Amino acid sequence: MRVSKPACLFLILLLLLSCQSNKIGTLVEAESIAKAEQWSVGSFTLERVKSARLTFYQFKNKKTGQVLASTIQGKSFLTANSIQPQVEESRGSFFIDTDVILRCNQQTIDSIQVTSELLIRGSLICADKSQVAYTMRLKPITDSSLQFDIQLFDPKFNQISLHLESTPNEGFFGFGEQFSYFNMKGKRLPILVQEQGIGRGEQPITFGANLTAKAGGDWHTSYAGVPHFISSRMRSLFLENTEYSVFDMTDADRISIEVNSNRMIGQLVAGQFPKELVEHYTEINGRMNALSDWLHRGAIIGMQGGTQQVSEKLKLLQEHNTAIAGFWLQDWVGQRTTSFGRQLWWNWELDKDRYPNWSNLTADLKRQNIRVLGYVNPFLADVAGKKPNLRRNLFKEAKQNDYFVKRADGSPYLTLNTDFEAALIDLTNPAARHWFKSVLQQEMLDLGFSGYMADFGEALPFDAVLSSQVPASSFHNQYPVEWAKLNQELVQEYEKSHPNQDPIVFFMRSGYTKSPAYNRLFWLGDQLVSFSEHDGIKTAVTGLLSSGLSGFSLNHSDIGGYTTIDNPIKDYHRSKELFQRWTEMAAFQTVFRTHEGNRPNRNHQFYSDQETLAHFAKFSRIYAALFDYRKKLFTEAESKGWPVVRSLWFEFPNDVRTQSIDYQQFMLGSDVLVAPVLDAGRKWADVYLPEGNWVHAWSGKEFTGPIEFRFNAPIGEPVVFIRKENDELVHRLRTAFSTNL
């Protein structure tokens, strides 16, 4: 066949691009390795399989025969690079660009030895023909987890990649909180704790946020990314590294896992179903304790404005028979006005002008079985000369005692939030931790708070200097874990010394692998007040479904979203419809909590009109009616690590149809299926009922799955189904729904 010159040049270009993108070289084995077929360690085997004259390796569970991972035929399963990362930070958003100095894509296996662990030795051959030695240790941790520990023996090589076989239709789920997509097949996913961004692809808001503050984010930006997945083939892996990592699932036949370190350590987890895999994963990394009863007996009302505002809104809510558990008063420290809207004075002491007669307010609410919650974060701002009623300048105290994260010159590392700067407490400094805990106890818990939002934790700069001398690039993802630890220590110590105190609940948005072991509750951060699938109400479902697979079993969102924007091109203000649909959805989740947003007067609120108030009160009662059922789910979270809000795939993994359902539907436990309406103007929902017998909660009609159909869902009647076998729950919800029609 003759090929024209332009076509020939095009084919050459394609070939060059293909070679450049294929970062995996060949695998060469020593003769002694080529003669062996299997090595065993604990409950696991490494099998050498020869197929079509090429070999690959399988990591298997001996007891079940399950393949935990496979390498690619004839290809290197380890590669390494010498890199120079370039990191830019802007208000908690991070931009990482990597310059590759030298690639090492060819792999040799020189020996495999078995003792109490399995040790693979070999070399990686680089583009300049130099070599770097490596070891890969395989060690059983439990009967269901096999640790791999890969070490390079030349410090100039600071990036390792592990390449494993995949199939074109294999789905990858988990990765902590992921907001835009549930199945990550086809994606290249960076894992770095950071601000999620404003817009995250929604336009024109993302463009505007990037133009003004580089704060638009992207589809992968997350407060709580975790290097962990479960695949549709029941293969599961997590990294124990805290350094920046990337999971590349863009190639149909492989997944490549990359970490910016000369050591990669992680574990392969065995299990037959998602429930089993999550149970084993959380057994290793920690589980969340069951939530306190007081928190989920009704709504947590997010309020700002002071004592009088609380009294007025409480009266309105009670007139409509609203189930109330608490008032979340984030502005207990006072409020400032910035270009972003209403923000707080980051100086953690009560503003007595805004909340006069505080002790009377909290005592009166407690007599009505209503608790008070507050707000705090690990930053301090110097508000001297700015806040009129300042009594204690915490920034000054911390600076004098050297408690802040520093710059290279030894000065406090000030970072810009919106219109003001703040410094971050150095959580590697034991004295700073002790001091900050004492501040939060004296200035917050001693005032009668039963809970609080422990905000931020994702903004440690990569060029910061820490007291421990640990590189900030390695500690960045660990910072939110330590922030959770500090708060856990604080509340445990306080509860021990105050035995009559309500169990204290703190909730966080930032997190990493070990965070669930130390946190009492998560929330999904700052969603846009929109119906967007990248940064709106839809992401408040996707984030729950993904994070639940990584141990974030108790999680929730702000009802109505948070981020409100005034913009001459397009405003993003919370509509009445959005608030009502978010209210309906939240009634079937872990916690039912409102937020007024950063511009409360631009947003529709529960008190904006009588219809909304009645709607909100109705769903608070429906939420309260699920109290006993949620308690059972909290027990499962504590004992097994299972999420309260679940994907359909988690419950029905053998049903291929469930893999493609993300925000369109979710499960509350095993027995309640919800198909929320998440599009403006829509009065219906497309519903897929998996195998089983289901009862429609509003009408009582029975359906047998699998079946797919369109169901009417006017405002006030979201689509909810209950497993028929759970007679008690069917009766309870049918009663609650009929009472609230």
Side-chain angles (χ1 to χ4, degrees):
M1 181 180 70
R2 300 184 65 184
V3 181
S4 66
K5 186 175 181 180
C8 184
L9 291 173
F10 179 69
L11 289 173
I12 292 172
L13 178 60
L14 282 179
L15 180 62
L16 289 173
L17 289 173
S18 174
C19 292
Q20 186 178 17
S21 65
N22 185 359
K23 299 178 182 178
I24 307 177
T26 56
L27 178 68
V28 178
E29 303 160 304
E31 186 176 344
S32 60
I33 305 299
K35 294 178 180 178
E37 294 183 354
Q38 181 174 295
W39 301 263
S40 294
V41 57
S43 301
F44 303 93
T45 61
L46 177 66
E47 294 186 0
R48 181 180 180 274
V49 183
K50 189 171 183 179
S51 175
R53 293 182 297 175
L54 296 174
T55 60
F56 63 96
Y57 290 81
Q58 289 185 332
F59 305 83
K60 297 179 71 174
N61 185 318
K62 276 196 300 189
K63 293 182 179 179
T64 65
Q66 180 191 10
V67 176
L68 308 184
S70 300
T71 67
I72 303 165
Q73 289 190 31
K75 297 292 185 179
S76 304
F77 57 86
L78 296 179
T79 59
N81 293 323
S82 175
I83 64 169
Q84 181 62 53
Q86 307 293 332
V87 183
E88 182 183 357
E89 184 270 340
S90 177
R91 308 183 193 203
S93 295
F94 291 81
F95 308 89
I96 298 181
D97 191 17
T98 302
D99 295 329
V100 178
I101 300 168
L102 182 60
R103 298 185 188 276
C104 307
N105 296 340
Q106 311 293 327
Q107 180 185 1
T108 70
I109 298 179
D110 300 333
S111 67
I112 299 179
Q113 298 174 325
V114 179
T115 56
S116 59
E117 61 183 16
L118 191 152
L119 175 62
I120 303 173
R121 296 182 184 272
S123 296
L124 302 177
I125 304 170
C126 309
D128 64 357
K129 306 304 180 183
S130 64
Q131 297 185 25
V132 54
Y134 75 85
T135 59
M136 181 176 186
R137 298 178 184 272
L138 299 172
K139 179 181 178 181
I141 302 300
T142 69
D143 286 344
S144 58
S145 67
L146 178 67
Q147 185 183 68
F148 56 91
D149 187 346
I150 305 162
Q151 178 75 57
L152 302 178
F153 290 94
D154 187 337
K156 76 178 181 182
F157 292 97
N158 52 352
Q159 186 181 79
I160 301 176
S161 294
L162 172 64
H163 309 278
L164 300 173
E165 171 267 344
S166 180
T167 57
N169 61 349
E170 183 174 16
F172 290 91
F173 312 100
F175 300 106
E177 280 180 5
Q178 297 299 326
F179 295 105
S180 291
Y181 304 102
F182 182 55
N183 184 353
M184 290 294 173
K185 183 68 173 182
K187 307 295 181 186
R188 185 178 187 275
L189 176 64
I191 300 294
L192 182 70
V193 173
Q194 60 178 312
E195 284 277 355
Q196 71 159 28
I198 302 174
R200 304 180 71 257
E202 171 80 2
Q203 299 297 357
I205 185 61
T206 304
F207 175 79
N210 283 332
L211 186 66
T212 57
K214 296 183 178 180
D218 210 331
W219 66 267
H220 56 78
T221 47
S222 171
Y223 302 108
V226 174
H228 161 251
F229 69 79
I230 298 174
S231 91
S232 57
R233 296 164 74 194
M234 300 306 140
R235 299 186 176 188
S236 182
L237 177 152
F238 70 90
L239 295 181
E240 298 178 59
N241 291 78
T242 58
E243 295 87 357
Y244 175 76
S245 60
V246 176
F247 288 70
D248 190 341
M249 295 151 283
T250 54
D251 291 314
D253 67 342
R254 72 192 65 166
I255 174 173
S256 296
I257 303 158
E258 172 186 291
V259 63
N260 284 6
S261 174
N262 69 344
R263 184 186 184 194
M264 177 188 285
I265 183 168
Q267 295 184 39
L268 300 170
V269 183
Q272 300 296 314
F273 304 100
K275 286 184 175 181
E276 188 179 357
L277 287 166
V278 169
E279 187 171 352
H280 292 159
Y281 170 81
T282 56
E283 181 183 14
I284 298 165
N285 290 301
R287 295 172 180 150
M288 303 184 71
N289 293 328
L291 274 180
S292 302
D293 285 355
W294 69 262
L295 187 75
H296 70 113
R297 291 195 181 280
I300 303 295
I301 307 297
M303 282 295 306
Q304 302 173 81
T307 302
Q308 185 61 35
Q309 285 290 325
V310 173
S311 299
E312 291 175 0
K313 299 306 183 293
L314 175 60
K315 183 179 179 182
L316 278 176
L317 290 164
Q318 289 176 333
E319 288 173 352
H320 286 77
N321 194 26
T322 309
I324 307 172
F327 270 87
W328 173 50
L329 309 177
Q330 65 164 356
D331 65 340
W332 69 284
V333 297
Q335 200 173 67
R336 65 167 80 186
T337 301
T338 70
S339 59
F340 189 62
R342 296 186 190 176
Q343 291 185 268
L344 308 179
W345 297 104
W346 290 5
N347 187 68
W348 314 116
E349 64 172 5
L350 177 67
D351 189 318
K352 294 183 178 180
D353 293 338
R354 194 171 190 84
Y355 285 95
N357 302 315
W358 175 263
S359 59
N360 291 339
L361 172 65
T362 56
D364 182 54
L365 289 173
K366 193 166 186 178
R367 279 192 295 271
Q368 301 177 69
N369 208 25
I370 298 172
R371 305 299 191 265
V372 175
L373 299 89
Y375 172 100
V376 71
N377 69 51
F379 282 102
L380 291 171
D382 189 358
V383 297
K386 300 173 184 176
K387 190 173 188 295
N389 55 358
L390 181 67
R391 301 190 312 278
R392 184 179 179 185
N393 189 333
L394 296 174
F395 179 93
K396 183 178 179 181
E397 290 181 34
K399 183 178 179 181
Q400 288 175 340
N401 288 285
D402 213 21
Y403 291 156
F404 286 132
V405 168
K406 299 175 186 174
R407 290 188 178 273
D409 63 6
S411 63
Y413 203 126
L414 295 175
T415 57
L416 185 65
N417 182 264
T418 52
D419 300 344
F420 62 91
E421 293 182 320
L424 197 58
I425 297 292
D426 186 346
L427 297 184
T428 72
N429 182 341
R433 293 174 69 105
H434 178 77
W435 173 80
F436 201 52
K437 284 195 296 183
S438 69
V439 168
L440 299 184
Q441 175 179 327
Q442 295 165 16
E443 303 295 339
M444 185 172 63
L445 297 188
D446 284 346
L447 297 182
F449 285 98
S450 296
Y452 58 95
M453 174 185 282
D455 203 359
F456 287 88
E458 64 283 329
L460 178 68
F462 273 46
D463 60 343
V465 177
L466 300 172
S467 171
S468 66
Q469 299 304 306
V470 173
S473 58
S474 297
F475 195 73
H476 173 89
N477 285 332
Q478 182 65 16
Y479 191 97
V481 181
E482 296 300 322
W483 177 220
K485 280 186 185 180
L486 182 147
N487 285 284
Q488 185 193 66
E489 292 167 7
L490 169 66
V491 299
Q492 286 180 342
E493 291 164 6
Y494 194 81
E495 288 167 351
K496 185 176 181 179
S497 61
H498 296 74
N500 296 323
Q501 166 72 39
D502 289 325
I504 298 168
V505 178
F506 64 90
F507 50 105
M508 297 181 60
R509 72 179 186 185
S510 62
Y512 196 61
T513 306
K514 299 284 187 179
S515 291
Y518 307 106
N519 204 356
R520 297 199 169 182
L521 177 65
F522 288 96
W523 109 98
L524 292 169
D526 301 341
Q527 278 75 56
L528 197 64
V529 291
S530 78
F531 286 96
S532 167
E533 63 182 320
H534 293 297
D535 189 18
I537 189 172
K538 296 181 179 70
T539 69
V541 178
T542 307
L544 291 180
L545 304 185
S546 61
S547 65
L549 297 176
S550 296
F552 292 60
S553 53
L554 306 174
N555 205 345
H556 72 295
S557 62
D558 299 327
I559 294 176
Y562 169 78
T563 306
T564 312
I565 302 294
D566 287 335
N567 189 281
I569 299 176
K570 181 178 180 180
D571 290 331
Y572 290 84
H573 298 163
R574 182 194 297 158
S575 68
K576 178 177 180 178
E577 182 185 12
L578 178 69
F579 183 84
Q580 290 177 318
R581 289 305 195 186
W582 213 311
T583 297
E584 294 170 0
M585 179 180 75
F588 300 94
Q589 297 179 357
T590 305
V591 173
F592 190 72
R593 180 182 58 82
T594 67
H595 198 315
E596 291 186 316
N598 59 303
R599 298 182 185 274
N601 59 330
R602 302 293 194 187
N603 287 333
H604 195 85
Q605 309 289 357
F606 70 82
Y607 50 80
S608 293
D609 59 41
Q610 288 296 314
E611 183 181 31
T612 306
L613 191 54
H615 179 273
F616 178 78
K618 175 176 79 171
F619 281 93
S620 76
R621 295 190 295 271
I622 290 172
Y623 171 80
L626 286 161
F627 178 85
D628 291 332
Y629 179 61
R630 274 195 310 274
K631 281 202 68 171
K632 294 177 182 178
L633 303 183
F634 294 167
T635 299
E636 289 182 348
E638 184 173 294
S639 62
K640 299 179 180 179
W642 294 353
V644 171
V645 175
R646 307 167 183 176
S647 68
L648 270 68
W649 176 73
F650 184 81
E651 288 291 333
F652 303 93
N654 295 325
D655 186 337
V656 177
R657 175 72 178 84
T658 64
Q659 293 182 29
S660 61
I661 298 173
D662 39 40
Y663 61 76
Q664 298 90 353
Q665 295 179 216
F666 63 85
M667 301 289 296
L668 177 64
S670 299
D671 295 338
V672 179
L673 183 150
V674 183
V677 176
L678 305 179
D679 288 289
R682 183 169 291 180
K683 306 296 183 185
W684 47 266
D686 288 326
V687 182
Y688 175 70
L689 293 179
E691 184 178 6
N693 299 310
W694 303 88
V695 178
H696 181 235
W698 294 99
S699 67
K701 292 181 180 179
E702 297 182 11
F703 298 82
T704 299
I707 185 174
E708 191 166 5
F709 53 92
R710 179 164 292 181
F711 217 88
N712 289 333
I715 289 177
E717 293 187 23
V719 177
V720 179
F721 287 90
I722 316 153
R723 284 189 194 265
K724 184 181 178 182
E725 291 78 8
N726 193 332
D727 296 333
E728 179 185 348
L729 185 61
V730 169
H731 174 73
R732 182 179 294 272
L733 266 185
R734 288 282 298 122
T735 301
F737 277 42
S738 61
T739 302
N740 286 286
L741 278 173

